[in-house]
Amino acid sequence: MKFLLLTLLFGYSLAIVRIPLKRAEHNHHHNLQKVALGLEAKYTGKPLKLADNEPLTDYMNAQYYGDIVMGTPGQKFKVLFDTGSSNVWVPCKGCPITDVACLVHNKFDCKKSSTCKETSDPFEIRYGTGSMKGHVDYDKVCFDAQGTLCCDKQGLACATSEPGLTFVAAKFDGIFGLGYDTISVNKLQTPFTCVMSDKTKCPQAVIGFYLNRDTSTQPG
């Protein structure tokens, strides 16, 4: 169990918001049938069976993710907290049925959020492995599932294309970048900057990770 620690000051008392990060255990059992179905749907146009909506199970003990909430009312997503990038993105409702990664994960629906502003601004990001394309929306994004620490007007990417198998195999829905604005795609304000600049929410501007390899013990 991994924990993301966000330090907040309420009045004169110090409080810590703890966001649990879940680790997918190592598992060598690849579901090749699902991969084959996904590739068949992508390249032949044959619809993918909606019952076949499980991601691959080989995560190599390398994926650490937690819950965030987006929109009003909140829509919950599992995201990878990534210190090497600066943007927030999740799959978008309405993505093509041939996009397997989108199909097997939770999708954001801007129309179901009273605070969402949808745009047609294009967005694209490439990682060391994997990439995504979509458009930019603006909405309320909360670091934690309880809605304790939020950015009220966060620029986020709604993914309509996640080519390849990288994100098909992901246990998480999308990425939550914790980097600075200087590497933000489309120069969108990052959730890190949004929250850390709000002195009423986070006056000490402190964020940290507690990494514990022994999952049998209580996290620190």
Side-chain angles (χ1 to χ4, degrees):
M1 180 69 70
K2 304 293 186 284
F3 273 71
L4 169 68
L5 305 183
L6 300 174
T7 306
L8 304 174
L9 189 64
F10 296 101
Y12 296 99
S13 63
L14 188 66
I16 297 176
V17 176
R18 298 175 184 261
I19 303 173
L21 299 184
K22 305 167 187 177
R23 182 181 71 177
E25 295 298 333
H26 180 79
N27 190 329
H28 284 292
H29 299 291
H30 294 205
N31 194 325
L32 297 179
Q33 183 180 12
K34 290 186 175 64
V35 175
L37 286 171
L39 292 173
E40 183 181 18
K42 180 177 181 180
Y43 292 109
T44 68
K46 179 181 178 181
L48 183 68
K49 295 179 181 179
L50 294 179
D52 294 308
N53 60 355
E54 294 293 332
L56 300 180
T57 55
D58 189 351
Y59 304 111
M60 302 298 291
N61 281 340
Q63 296 181 20
Y64 300 92
Y65 58 92
D67 294 329
I68 65 167
V69 170
M70 299 168 58
T72 308
Q75 301 173 40
K76 186 182 292 187
F77 296 92
K78 293 180 174 62
V79 293
L80 180 75
F81 291 101
D82 181 24
T83 56
S85 65
S86 298
N87 295 92
V88 181
W89 68 265
V90 294
C92 191
K93 183 176 177 60
C95 57
I97 193 171
T98 54
D99 193 299
V100 182
C102 181
L103 185 66
V104 299
H105 289 96
N106 294 319
K107 290 166 278 293
F108 179 65
D109 189 346
C110 182
K111 291 181 173 57
K112 288 186 177 180
S113 172
S114 61
T115 51
C116 183
K117 178 184 177 182
E118 188 174 12
T119 80
S120 58
D121 298 339
F123 185 96
E124 180 178 359
I125 190 168
R126 293 181 179 276
Y127 300 95
T129 57
S131 64
M132 58 75 63
K133 292 182 180 180
H135 62 269
V136 177
D137 289 345
Y138 291 88
D139 208 341
K140 181 178 181 180
V141 175
C142 300
F143 273 74
D144 58 327
Q146 291 72 41
T148 305
L149 194 62
C150 305
C151 184
D152 293 330
K153 191 179 180 182
Q154 175 62 49
L156 58 101
C158 202
T160 54
S161 175
E162 300 170 62
L165 293 176
T166 298
F167 295 118
V168 175
K171 189 70 173 177
F172 50 86
D173 301 311
I175 304 290
F176 194 98
L178 294 174
Y180 290 108
D181 291 3
T182 51
I183 60 171
S184 173
V185 176
N186 287 20
K187 297 183 178 181
L188 296 175
Q189 177 181 242
T190 68
F192 182 91
T193 300
C194 178
V195 173
M196 294 300 119
S197 62
D198 190 332
K199 300 304 180 183
T200 61
K201 293 180 179 178
C202 195
Q204 291 187 333
V206 175
I207 186 172
F209 287 94
Y210 181 93
L211 302 178
N212 180 13
R213 291 185 180 277
D214 185 0
T215 57
S216 65
T217 64
Q218 292 295 322

